[in-house]
Amino acid sequence: MHGKRIENRASALIVTGIVFLGAFSQPILTLGQESASTPLSEITPAGAVGFVELSGLDSVITRVQQSTYAEQFVSHPRFREFQTTPQYRRFDAARQIVETQLGMDAVTAIHKLLGGRVGLGIYPRANTDQPDVLLAIRVNDAETLSYIRERVDPFLQLAEEQIARTDSNGGEIFDLDRGKGYVFWRDQTLLATNNEDLLQRSLRLLSGQADDSLENDADFQLMVDQMGAEHVIRGYVHLAAISEAEGGRFIPLKLDNPLASLLFAGASELIVRSPYAGLVLDVDESEFHLTAGVAGGPDEVGENYDWFFSDPESSGAAAIPQVSELIAGFSLHRNFSDWYRLREDLLVARMLPQFDKFEAGLGNLLPGKDFGQDVLPLVGKNITFVAAPQSYDYLDGEPGIKFPGMGLIVDLSEPQEGADVFQMFFQTLSAILNLQAGQQGRLPMVMASESYNGVQLTYGRFLQKPTGERLPFAFNFMPASALVGDRYVVCSSRSLCRQLVDALQSSSDAVELPNRNFDLEFFAAPFADILQANTDFFRAQSIKEGKSSEQAREEFETVLDVIRRFNSFRLNTTVNTDTFQVHLEGDWK
């Protein structure tokens, strides 16, 4: 008898695995009225603290399968090496068992099962951190589930002592191991949960006997209205419920990191006040669009956070100058002076002495100037950073490690006065760097200037060109600065400074840009070129870590190949009167 119980329990485990495989292998199924066009939120009971729905992944998987990526992945030496591990062999054995029982290969099964929708709701459970979950799956073709049901029915018969079967709503409910889990199976619909009450509530929604669905929840509907209903993936977090559970606030009022405060404080305050946090993903032939958002706008967070937001009717962050072979750039819109003035209200007390130390150190570079009173008010609301390849025409040779040129562009509210302060800072810093030149293996430099396209450009110049094939890292930097209209430019190389002067002069203020509170761009090809220019350095680092020369070469080439398959990525935030959203976009070859 003991052996029989073990056999039956094993059979039950296999059945449960196959049933849930059917669930998880069909990432896109639908409940409610049995139509693949009907959102699963219509048969997901209200009260979920989290919900995610997947729709249309079959087309995404088809594109991946038909691309060269999948073939190159499985043929890569590292994957072939992984195939020899015990973990892979166990996985492959399980795959073969499932494929044999289903009577189809895994790829075919996925294509059959990913034609509809998949939804997962997460619900709080009293007196425990373990939540209740409801998985809802709907396939496009009812024959798919019917076929799977036929293939697993022998296992259901073997495990009848562990699985109770009940007819309900035109389908069957399977009670797994006396209340440990429940599965409902009918036509195109599959439901699985660890809570019988959730199952019954969902069945009432499915049969039209109730209307207390997540779809009809006001906070969920607000997310749908602001972010759209149809996406490959959409996710929902009920922040109002989390706030209530945490006693009204789950993010500290005052942060303990000045940079985090500058970058996220206003958004954090909106998150605390918003009834929801939403996320949606769309994927096209060669690009993806990911958006996360919360409800609420600048008018809802109070005067302490006015400095964080741009006017929703304006473009906000400045456009990133498109210099030649731009590697990356970001633009940030903030009222920096107001943030600094309000730091006691925004940061925990232990952070405040750090500002005193900062001001004392800065006083050595800007004597007689108070940072908060004299310097920051001269800074406008936009700061922009760019990185791009640079020219080494100021050297007879090249540095052993080649670093991209970097440029910082600061909007000035008082252009001439602001430029004078920054120029004083620039000259004082250059003098200090000259004093340290000998210790750092550099030659001292003198300050020079030139007129370039009507702009006076100040830069450092070596008295004689350094010579060598692998010069020290410090020779990547030849500082330069210029005032272009009301924008002050500081660069690590004169060549990049010239490019920025050209880009800023050619930009048109008449071009209307969408609102961006923060904007970041990254371009893969020039980034890969910089890495490749430093091949010897990266291989040497891998060899130091114990890899062979061949492994180091192979891994580095793989990294470069992966990077070059992409074109660009863009991350930005937008401010509206009633929403704040983060957008991530990317495209590939």
Side-chain angles (χ1 to χ4, degrees), residues 263-292:
L263 294 178
F264 308 120
S268 298
E269 191 64 19
L270 279 182
I271 291 172
V272 169
R273 296 166 181 260
S274 174
Y276 78 84
L279 183 145
V280 297
L281 172 68
D282 295 297
V283 182
D284 298 325
E285 290 294 332
S286 59
E287 59 186 17
F288 73 89
H289 305 266
L290 178 69
T291 299

PDB file of all heavy atoms in Angstrom, residues 263-292:
ATOM      1  N   LEU A 263      16.931  63.090  -8.467  1.00  0.00           N
ATOM      2  CA  LEU A 263      16.434  62.357  -9.632  1.00  0.00           C
ATOM      3  C   LEU A 263      15.012  61.841  -9.459  1.00  0.00           C
ATOM      4  O   LEU A 263      14.260  61.765 -10.439  1.00  0.00           O
ATOM      5  CB  LEU A 263      17.367  61.171  -9.936  1.00  0.00           C
ATOM      6  CG  LEU A 263      18.785  61.503 -10.395  1.00  0.00           C
ATOM      7  CD1 LEU A 263      19.578  60.225 -10.605  1.00  0.00           C
ATOM      8  CD2 LEU A 263      18.757  62.332 -11.675  1.00  0.00           C
ATOM      9  N   PHE A 264      14.616  61.487  -8.218  1.00  0.00           N
ATOM     10  CA  PHE A 264      13.374  60.733  -8.058  1.00  0.00           C
ATOM     11  C   PHE A 264      12.367  61.315  -7.076  1.00  0.00           C
ATOM     12  O   PHE A 264      11.258  60.794  -6.974  1.00  0.00           O
ATOM     13  CB  PHE A 264      13.695  59.296  -7.595  1.00  0.00           C
ATOM     14  CG  PHE A 264      14.700  58.583  -8.446  1.00  0.00           C
ATOM     15  CD1 PHE A 264      15.892  58.136  -7.906  1.00  0.00           C
ATOM     16  CD2 PHE A 264      14.449  58.368  -9.795  1.00  0.00           C
ATOM     17  CE1 PHE A 264      16.821  57.475  -8.687  1.00  0.00           C
ATOM     18  CE2 PHE A 264      15.370  57.706 -10.585  1.00  0.00           C
ATOM     19  CZ  PHE A 264      16.558  57.255 -10.039  1.00  0.00           C
ATOM     20  N   ALA A 265      12.705  62.364  -6.323  1.00  0.00           N
ATOM     21  CA  ALA A 265      11.849  62.794  -5.215  1.00  0.00           C
ATOM     22  C   ALA A 265      10.426  63.114  -5.661  1.00  0.00           C
ATOM     23  O   ALA A 265       9.449  62.670  -5.046  1.00  0.00           O
ATOM     24  CB  ALA A 265      12.470  63.995  -4.506  1.00  0.00           C
ATOM     25  N   GLY A 266      10.271  63.895  -6.730  1.00  0.00           N
ATOM     26  CA  GLY A 266       8.933  64.249  -7.191  1.00  0.00           C
ATOM     27  C   GLY A 266       8.150  63.046  -7.663  1.00  0.00           C
ATOM     28  O   GLY A 266       6.956  62.909  -7.364  1.00  0.00           O
ATOM     29  N   ALA A 267       8.825  62.146  -8.404  1.00  0.00           N
ATOM     30  CA  ALA A 267       8.159  60.928  -8.863  1.00  0.00           C
ATOM     31  C   ALA A 267       7.765  60.052  -7.682  1.00  0.00           C
ATOM     32  O   ALA A 267       6.678  59.452  -7.671  1.00  0.00           O
ATOM     33  CB  ALA A 267       9.074  60.162  -9.819  1.00  0.00           C
ATOM     34  N   SER A 268       8.640  59.959  -6.669  1.00  0.00           N
ATOM     35  CA  SER A 268       8.325  59.156  -5.486  1.00  0.00           C
ATOM     36  C   SER A 268       7.083  59.681  -4.781  1.00  0.00           C
ATOM     37  O   SER A 268       6.243  58.904  -4.317  1.00  0.00           O
ATOM     38  CB  SER A 268       9.514  59.155  -4.516  1.00  0.00           C
ATOM     39  OG  SER A 268      10.648  58.568  -5.109  1.00  0.00           O
ATOM     40  N   GLU A 269       6.955  60.997  -4.708  1.00  0.00           N
ATOM     41  CA  GLU A 269       5.784  61.575  -4.046  1.00  0.00           C
ATOM     42  C   GLU A 269       4.502  61.265  -4.825  1.00  0.00           C
ATOM     43  O   GLU A 269       3.462  60.986  -4.243  1.00  0.00           O
ATOM     44  CB  GLU A 269       5.962  63.090  -3.902  1.00  0.00           C
ATOM     45  CG  GLU A 269       4.941  63.764  -3.014  1.00  0.00           C
ATOM     46  CD  GLU A 269       5.009  63.301  -1.570  1.00  0.00           C
ATOM     47  OE1 GLU A 269       6.048  62.734  -1.157  1.00  0.00           O
ATOM     48  OE2 GLU A 269       4.007  63.499  -0.847  1.00  0.00           O
ATOM     49  N   LEU A 270       4.597  61.277  -6.152  1.00  0.00           N
ATOM     50  CA  LEU A 270       3.430  60.906  -6.960  1.00  0.00           C
ATOM     51  C   LEU A 270       3.076  59.436  -6.766  1.00  0.00           C
ATOM     52  O   LEU A 270       1.900  59.075  -6.714  1.00  0.00           O
ATOM     53  CB  LEU A 270       3.699  61.174  -8.438  1.00  0.00           C
ATOM     54  CG  LEU A 270       3.519  62.610  -8.934  1.00  0.00           C
ATOM     55  CD1 LEU A 270       3.786  62.682 -10.429  1.00  0.00           C
ATOM     56  CD2 LEU A 270       2.127  63.136  -8.625  1.00  0.00           C
ATOM     57  N   ILE A 271       4.086  58.578  -6.668  1.00  0.00           N
ATOM     58  CA  ILE A 271       3.837  57.151  -6.467  1.00  0.00           C
ATOM     59  C   ILE A 271       3.078  56.928  -5.166  1.00  0.00           C
ATOM     60  O   ILE A 271       2.127  56.137  -5.111  1.00  0.00           O
ATOM     61  CB  ILE A 271       5.168  56.369  -6.469  1.00  0.00           C
ATOM     62  CG1 ILE A 271       5.778  56.366  -7.876  1.00  0.00           C
ATOM     63  CG2 ILE A 271       4.976  54.941  -5.976  1.00  0.00           C
ATOM     64  CD1 ILE A 271       7.174  55.793  -7.937  1.00  0.00           C
ATOM     65  N   VAL A 272       3.482  57.626  -4.116  1.00  0.00           N
ATOM     66  CA  VAL A 272       2.811  57.476  -2.824  1.00  0.00           C
ATOM     67  C   VAL A 272       1.349  57.897  -2.917  1.00  0.00           C
ATOM     68  O   VAL A 272       0.472  57.289  -2.303  1.00  0.00           O
ATOM     69  CB  VAL A 272       3.544  58.312  -1.750  1.00  0.00           C
ATOM     70  CG1 VAL A 272       2.723  58.383  -0.473  1.00  0.00           C
ATOM     71  CG2 VAL A 272       4.909  57.712  -1.461  1.00  0.00           C
ATOM     72  N   ARG A 273       1.066  58.925  -3.712  1.00  0.00           N
ATOM     73  CA  ARG A 273      -0.284  59.470  -3.793  1.00  0.00           C
ATOM     74  C   ARG A 273      -1.150  58.775  -4.842  1.00  0.00           C
ATOM     75  O   ARG A 273      -2.374  58.865  -4.806  1.00  0.00           O
ATOM     76  CB  ARG A 273      -0.215  60.968  -4.117  1.00  0.00           C
ATOM     77  CG  ARG A 273       0.458  61.798  -3.033  1.00  0.00           C
ATOM     78  CD  ARG A 273       0.802  63.188  -3.557  1.00  0.00           C
ATOM     79  NE  ARG A 273       1.468  64.000  -2.550  1.00  0.00           N
ATOM     80  CZ  ARG A 273       0.864  64.930  -1.815  1.00  0.00           C
ATOM     81  NH1 ARG A 273      -0.433  65.145  -1.969  1.00  0.00           N
ATOM     82  NH2 ARG A 273       1.543  65.626  -0.943  1.00  0.00           N
ATOM     83  N   SER A 274      -0.527  58.096  -5.805  1.00  0.00           N
ATOM     84  CA  SER A 274      -1.270  57.508  -6.912  1.00  0.00           C
ATOM     85  C   SER A 274      -2.032  56.260  -6.483  1.00  0.00           C
ATOM     86  O   SER A 274      -1.527  55.465  -5.685  1.00  0.00           O
ATOM     87  CB  SER A 274      -0.312  57.148  -8.054  1.00  0.00           C
ATOM     88  OG  SER A 274      -0.984  56.451  -9.094  1.00  0.00           O
ATOM     89  N   PRO A 275      -3.240  56.034  -7.025  1.00  0.00           N
ATOM     90  CA  PRO A 275      -3.962  54.798  -6.718  1.00  0.00           C
ATOM     91  C   PRO A 275      -3.380  53.573  -7.417  1.00  0.00           C
ATOM     92  O   PRO A 275      -3.661  52.441  -7.029  1.00  0.00           O
ATOM     93  CB  PRO A 275      -5.381  55.085  -7.216  1.00  0.00           C
ATOM     94  CG  PRO A 275      -5.199  56.104  -8.295  1.00  0.00           C
ATOM     95  CD  PRO A 275      -4.042  56.960  -7.854  1.00  0.00           C
ATOM     96  N   TYR A 276      -2.580  53.789  -8.451  1.00  0.00           N
ATOM     97  CA  TYR A 276      -2.045  52.649  -9.197  1.00  0.00           C
ATOM     98  C   TYR A 276      -0.642  52.937  -9.699  1.00  0.00           C
ATOM     99  O   TYR A 276      -0.199  54.081  -9.789  1.00  0.00           O
ATOM    100  CB  TYR A 276      -2.934  52.322 -10.405  1.00  0.00           C
ATOM    101  CG  TYR A 276      -2.715  53.256 -11.582  1.00  0.00           C
ATOM    102  CD1 TYR A 276      -1.684  53.035 -12.491  1.00  0.00           C
ATOM    103  CD2 TYR A 276      -3.530  54.368 -11.789  1.00  0.00           C
ATOM    104  CE1 TYR A 276      -1.455  53.899 -13.561  1.00  0.00           C
ATOM    105  CE2 TYR A 276      -3.322  55.234 -12.850  1.00  0.00           C
ATOM    106  CZ  TYR A 276      -2.283  54.991 -13.733  1.00  0.00           C
ATOM    107  OH  TYR A 276      -2.048  55.845 -14.777  1.00  0.00           O
ATOM    108  N   ALA A 277       0.078  51.867 -10.030  1.00  0.00           N
ATOM    109  CA  ALA A 277       1.281  51.927 -10.855  1.00  0.00           C
ATOM    110  C   ALA A 277       1.047  50.962 -12.007  1.00  0.00           C
ATOM    111  O   ALA A 277       0.641  49.812 -11.797  1.00  0.00           O
ATOM    112  CB  ALA A 277       2.526  51.530 -10.070  1.00  0.00           C
ATOM    113  N   GLY A 278       1.252  51.421 -13.222  1.00  0.00           N
ATOM    114  CA  GLY A 278       0.986  50.587 -14.386  1.00  0.00           C
ATOM    115  C   GLY A 278       2.226  50.404 -15.237  1.00  0.00           C
ATOM    116  O   GLY A 278       3.154  51.221 -15.208  1.00  0.00           O
ATOM    117  N   LEU A 279       2.251  49.316 -15.984  1.00  0.00           N
ATOM    118  CA  LEU A 279       3.349  49.031 -16.906  1.00  0.00           C
ATOM    119  C   LEU A 279       2.786  48.358 -18.141  1.00  0.00           C
ATOM    120  O   LEU A 279       1.985  47.424 -18.029  1.00  0.00           O
ATOM    121  CB  LEU A 279       4.398  48.149 -16.251  1.00  0.00           C
ATOM    122  CG  LEU A 279       5.648  47.820 -17.080  1.00  0.00           C
ATOM    123  CD1 LEU A 279       6.877  47.739 -16.181  1.00  0.00           C
ATOM    124  CD2 LEU A 279       5.490  46.502 -17.835  1.00  0.00           C
ATOM    125  N   VAL A 280       3.175  48.833 -19.314  1.00  0.00           N
ATOM    126  CA  VAL A 280       2.720  48.226 -20.567  1.00  0.00           C
ATOM    127  C   VAL A 280       3.918  48.049 -21.500  1.00  0.00           C
ATOM    128  O   VAL A 280       4.850  48.859 -21.504  1.00  0.00           O
ATOM    129  CB  VAL A 280       1.633  49.079 -21.265  1.00  0.00           C
ATOM    130  CG1 VAL A 280       0.385  49.156 -20.381  1.00  0.00           C
ATOM    131  CG2 VAL A 280       2.135  50.479 -21.585  1.00  0.00           C
ATOM    132  N   LEU A 281       3.884  46.975 -22.286  1.00  0.00           N
ATOM    133  CA  LEU A 281       4.957  46.665 -23.230  1.00  0.00           C
ATOM    134  C   LEU A 281       4.356  46.327 -24.582  1.00  0.00           C
ATOM    135  O   LEU A 281       3.410  45.548 -24.677  1.00  0.00           O
ATOM    136  CB  LEU A 281       5.789  45.480 -22.731  1.00  0.00           C
ATOM    137  CG  LEU A 281       6.834  44.916 -23.720  1.00  0.00           C
ATOM    138  CD1 LEU A 281       7.948  45.930 -23.940  1.00  0.00           C
ATOM    139  CD2 LEU A 281       7.398  43.593 -23.229  1.00  0.00           C
ATOM    140  N   ASP A 282       4.923  46.937 -25.621  1.00  0.00           N
ATOM    141  CA  ASP A 282       4.557  46.609 -26.999  1.00  0.00           C
ATOM    142  C   ASP A 282       5.830  46.266 -27.766  1.00  0.00           C
ATOM    143  O   ASP A 282       6.879  46.894 -27.561  1.00  0.00           O
ATOM    144  CB  ASP A 282       3.845  47.784 -27.675  1.00  0.00           C
ATOM    145  CG  ASP A 282       2.507  48.082 -27.023  1.00  0.00           C
ATOM    146  OD1 ASP A 282       1.626  47.207 -27.060  1.00  0.00           O
ATOM    147  OD2 ASP A 282       2.352  49.182 -26.457  1.00  0.00           O
ATOM    148  N   VAL A 283       5.747  45.273 -28.643  1.00  0.00           N
ATOM    149  CA  VAL A 283       6.899  44.820 -29.415  1.00  0.00           C
ATOM    150  C   VAL A 283       6.508  44.764 -30.884  1.00  0.00           C
ATOM    151  O   VAL A 283       5.492  44.152 -31.246  1.00  0.00           O
ATOM    152  CB  VAL A 283       7.376  43.424 -28.949  1.00  0.00           C
ATOM    153  CG1 VAL A 283       8.607  43.001 -29.737  1.00  0.00           C
ATOM    154  CG2 VAL A 283       7.680  43.427 -27.458  1.00  0.00           C
ATOM    155  N   ASP A 284       7.298  45.421 -31.735  1.00  0.00           N
ATOM    156  CA  ASP A 284       7.070  45.401 -33.175  1.00  0.00           C
ATOM    157  C   ASP A 284       8.141  44.548 -33.843  1.00  0.00           C
ATOM    158  O   ASP A 284       8.873  43.817 -33.182  1.00  0.00           O
ATOM    159  CB  ASP A 284       7.082  46.830 -33.731  1.00  0.00           C
ATOM    160  CG  ASP A 284       5.968  47.678 -33.136  1.00  0.00           C
ATOM    161  OD1 ASP A 284       4.888  47.122 -32.877  1.00  0.00           O
ATOM    162  OD2 ASP A 284       6.192  48.884 -32.914  1.00  0.00           O
ATOM    163  N   GLU A 285       8.255  44.665 -35.152  1.00  0.00           N
ATOM    164  CA  GLU A 285       9.197  43.836 -35.893  1.00  0.00           C
ATOM    165  C   GLU A 285      10.630  44.019 -35.421  1.00  0.00           C
ATOM    166  O   GLU A 285      11.391  43.061 -35.330  1.00  0.00           O
ATOM    167  CB  GLU A 285       9.110  44.163 -37.392  1.00  0.00           C
ATOM    168  CG  GLU A 285       7.830  43.713 -38.061  1.00  0.00           C
ATOM    169  CD  GLU A 285       7.701  42.202 -38.104  1.00  0.00           C
ATOM    170  OE1 GLU A 285       8.746  41.518 -38.117  1.00  0.00           O
ATOM    171  OE2 GLU A 285       6.571  41.703 -38.128  1.00  0.00           O
ATOM    172  N   SER A 286      11.020  45.261 -35.126  1.00  0.00           N
ATOM    173  CA  SER A 286      12.413  45.497 -34.769  1.00  0.00           C
ATOM    174  C   SER A 286      12.566  46.510 -33.645  1.00  0.00           C
ATOM    175  O   SER A 286      13.622  47.136 -33.517  1.00  0.00           O
ATOM    176  CB  SER A 286      13.193  45.993 -35.995  1.00  0.00           C
ATOM    177  OG  SER A 286      12.630  47.193 -36.482  1.00  0.00           O
ATOM    178  N   GLU A 287      11.539  46.686 -32.820  1.00  0.00           N
ATOM    179  CA  GLU A 287      11.639  47.631 -31.731  1.00  0.00           C
ATOM    180  C   GLU A 287      10.652  47.289 -30.625  1.00  0.00           C
ATOM    181  O   GLU A 287       9.701  46.529 -30.836  1.00  0.00           O
ATOM    182  CB  GLU A 287      11.394  49.060 -32.212  1.00  0.00           C
ATOM    183  CG  GLU A 287      10.029  49.264 -32.867  1.00  0.00           C
ATOM    184  CD  GLU A 287       9.879  50.649 -33.470  1.00  0.00           C
ATOM    185  OE1 GLU A 287      10.905  51.319 -33.677  1.00  0.00           O
ATOM    186  OE2 GLU A 287       8.733  51.059 -33.722  1.00  0.00           O
ATOM    187  N   PHE A 288      10.916  47.823 -29.446  1.00  0.00           N
ATOM    188  CA  PHE A 288       9.993  47.638 -28.332  1.00  0.00           C
ATOM    189  C   PHE A 288       9.730  48.984 -27.668  1.00  0.00           C
ATOM    190  O   PHE A 288      10.541  49.916 -27.753  1.00  0.00           O
ATOM    191  CB  PHE A 288      10.553  46.642 -27.307  1.00  0.00           C
ATOM    192  CG  PHE A 288      11.681  47.185 -26.474  1.00  0.00           C
ATOM    193  CD1 PHE A 288      11.444  47.854 -25.275  1.00  0.00           C
ATOM    194  CD2 PHE A 288      13.002  47.023 -26.885  1.00  0.00           C
ATOM    195  CE1 PHE A 288      12.489  48.359 -24.517  1.00  0.00           C
ATOM    196  CE2 PHE A 288      14.058  47.527 -26.127  1.00  0.00           C
ATOM    197  CZ  PHE A 288      13.790  48.200 -24.944  1.00  0.00           C
ATOM    198  N   HIS A 289       8.583  49.071 -26.996  1.00  0.00           N
ATOM    199  CA  HIS A 289       8.190  50.280 -26.278  1.00  0.00           C
ATOM    200  C   HIS A 289       7.656  49.854 -24.920  1.00  0.00           C
ATOM    201  O   HIS A 289       6.643  49.151 -24.842  1.00  0.00           O
ATOM    202  CB  HIS A 289       7.110  51.053 -27.047  1.00  0.00           C
ATOM    203  CG  HIS A 289       7.495  51.406 -28.455  1.00  0.00           C
ATOM    204  ND1 HIS A 289       8.055  52.619 -28.782  1.00  0.00           N
ATOM    205  CD2 HIS A 289       7.409  50.705 -29.609  1.00  0.00           C
ATOM    206  CE1 HIS A 289       8.300  52.646 -30.081  1.00  0.00           C
ATOM    207  NE2 HIS A 289       7.916  51.493 -30.613  1.00  0.00           N
ATOM    208  N   LEU A 290       8.327  50.279 -23.870  1.00  0.00           N
ATOM    209  CA  LEU A 290       7.925  49.961 -22.500  1.00  0.00           C
ATOM    210  C   LEU A 290       7.582  51.263 -21.788  1.00  0.00           C
ATOM    211  O   LEU A 290       8.369  52.209 -21.801  1.00  0.00           O
ATOM    212  CB  LEU A 290       9.066  49.248 -21.772  1.00  0.00           C
ATOM    213  CG  LEU A 290       8.832  48.880 -20.300  1.00  0.00           C
ATOM    214  CD1 LEU A 290       7.792  47.771 -20.188  1.00  0.00           C
ATOM    215  CD2 LEU A 290      10.138  48.448 -19.651  1.00  0.00           C
ATOM    216  N   THR A 291       6.396  51.297 -21.168  1.00  0.00           N
ATOM    217  CA  THR A 291       5.957  52.496 -20.451  1.00  0.00           C
ATOM    218  C   THR A 291       5.488  52.115 -19.055  1.00  0.00           C
ATOM    219  O   THR A 291       4.724  51.165 -18.892  1.00  0.00           O
ATOM    220  CB  THR A 291       4.799  53.200 -21.198  1.00  0.00           C
ATOM    221  OG1 THR A 291       5.247  53.589 -22.490  1.00  0.00           O
ATOM    222  CG2 THR A 291       4.339  54.435 -20.436  1.00  0.00           C
ATOM    223  N   ALA A 292       5.975  52.839 -18.069  1.00  0.00           N
ATOM    224  CA  ALA A 292       5.489  52.705 -16.695  1.00  0.00           C
ATOM    225  C   ALA A 292       4.927  54.050 -16.278  1.00  0.00           C
ATOM    226  O   ALA A 292       5.448  55.102 -16.676  1.00  0.00           O
ATOM    227  CB  ALA A 292       6.619  52.279 -15.754  1.00  0.00           C
TER     228      ALA A 292
END
